Amino acid sequence: MRRTILAAALGVVPVTGMAAPSVTDIVNAHILPRFEALKEASVTLSDAAKADCDPTAEPLRGAYYTAFDAWITASHLRFGPTEVDDRGFALAFWPDSRGTTPRSLANLIAEEDPIASSPDAYADVSIAARGFYALEFLLYDDALMQAGDAAYRCTLVQTVSADIAATTAAIYDDWQTVYADVMQSPGPDAPYRSEEEVLQEMLRALSTGLQFTEESRLGRPLGTFDRPRPSRAEARRSGRSARHVMLSLSSLQDLASRLAADDADLSQSLNAEFDTALEKLDALEDPVFQGVAEPMSRLKVEVIQQAVGTIRETVRADLGPKLGVAAGFNALDGD
């Protein structure tokens, strides 16, 4: 029930009764609303940081939560404007297996680097010190919340928030002014030569989003049976690990439903598989996957991971051939 209410509020309710997959529908009903919501939530986040930079301030943390939600629902759309200037990585540098983000932030604070005083200049710092995961450390990590000079930390919180707002605005503006038309106007001399190439891009986004959730959001904290890694769970400091799986799957379900719109049986099958994964996640009641270290609760997380793998296989074996395209290479290949 919690998942259903939240999905409806975010506009990620599965689509039913539609005609054949429509690029225009996916652009206008799936892609643009997500990036618009992300832009607006990021402006609110930046304004909240300007009003009160105290990392424990409820308005700031609430704005951060909403903006991060908006990013996760759009995070599978890692093509076009999100790729320009590594904007996607500037918003979301994770996994960070070497601890580059806290180290980069600690160095900035220790040196009181003046680059933090300018959001425009801050765009040139390491992507590890930018975006939602960097801001999570500044708002929730006990060591960084108390490191160095308080005034400098305040400036850093405000600048990272403003940088997020500028990046998300650039992504949305490019989608609205250029890339939405690009995807709806394939041709011999265009970036996409046919509608099939556009659908392949969208299928790749769906497939890669599922892979990232299965292998990183769930796989990293699971580790191995002998060596579980709960400390590697995504956004665990802010208690968002399971929430990210839920938000991502709900958003991917919307995209899958639109891509399978003209095949009622396939659409029903995909929706049932997504619902199964989400229902098992909702019943887990382990927001940061801490239970992966205990055999019984670990099994529940493994079952969720297997459910996501089932969706991936249906997308690969059934949805791709139905669309006449293959998912192809994605941003995770070769990692």
Side-chain angles (χ1 to χ4, degrees), residues 56-97:
T56 65
E58 288 303 319
L60 175 57
R61 287 189 170 187
Y64 170 77
Y65 221 70
T66 301
F68 210 170
D69 279 359
W71 163 249
I72 297 302
T73 66
S75 61
H76 57 289
L77 302 168
R78 299 289 284 263
F79 57 87
T82 317
E83 290 182 313
V84 174
D85 297 329
D86 287 329
R87 289 168 179 162
F89 288 108
L91 290 174
F93 182 71
W94 188 85
D96 176 20
S97 58

Side-chain angles (χ1 to χ4, degrees), residues 105-240:
L105 293 170
N107 288 340
L108 287 170
I109 294 170
E111 297 170 6
E112 295 190 17
D113 193 322
I115 199 168
S117 64
S118 169
D120 290 337
Y122 200 77
D124 294 328
V125 305
S126 165
I127 56 174
R130 300 173 63 191
F132 289 105
Y133 298 94
L135 191 54
E136 183 192 31
F137 272 96
L138 294 172
L139 299 185
Y140 291 93
D141 184 78
D142 291 338
L144 285 173
M145 287 167 62
Q146 302 175 43
D149 179 70
Y152 185 85
R153 292 198 312 271
C154 174
T155 298
L156 193 56
V157 167
Q158 292 172 336
T159 297
V160 172
S161 300
D163 179 52
I164 289 172
T167 302
T168 58
I171 293 172
Y172 177 64
D173 290 347
D174 281 357
W175 265 107
Q176 190 178 42
T177 60
V178 178
Y179 215 74
D181 289 337
V182 166
M183 298 206 81
Q184 295 173 82
S185 306
D189 299 319
Y192 299 99
R193 292 170 295 178
S194 66
E195 185 171 282
E196 286 72 23
E197 288 193 0
V198 178
L199 291 173
Q200 183 179 42
E201 187 79 272
M202 295 174 173
L203 181 68
R204 185 185 298 116
L206 173 62
S207 178
T208 305
L210 289 165
Q211 181 182 356
F212 188 76
T213 289
E214 180 184 2
E215 296 179 357
S216 295
R217 291 192 168 114
L218 293 167
R220 283 180 63 79
L222 276 168
T224 65
F225 183 83
D226 293 330
R227 197 174 183 183
R229 301 279 194 163
S231 65
R232 292 186 176 181
E234 181 186 19
R236 64 178 177 79
R237 290 169 180 80
S238 52
R240 298 178 53 90

Side-chain angles (χ1 to χ4, degrees), residues 12-16 18 21 25-26 30 34 76 202-203 205-207 210 248-263 266-271 273-274 311-312 314-315 319 322-323:
V12 294
V13 177
V15 179
T16 57
M18 292 179 59
D25 167 70
I26 294 172
H30 181 84
R34 280 162 175 75
H76 57 289
M202 295 174 173
L203 181 68
L206 173 62
S207 178
L210 289 165
S248 178
L249 287 179
S250 295
S251 195
L252 292 168
Q253 183 175 12
D254 181 80
L255 177 57
S257 296
R258 295 179 190 280
L259 287 171
D262 66 339
D263 187 325
L266 178 56
S267 181
Q268 183 177 8
S269 178
L270 280 167
N271 277 319
E273 290 172 359
F274 273 103
I311 302 169
R312 282 184 66 193
T314 300
V315 168
L319 181 57
K322 176 66 181 178
L323 296 173

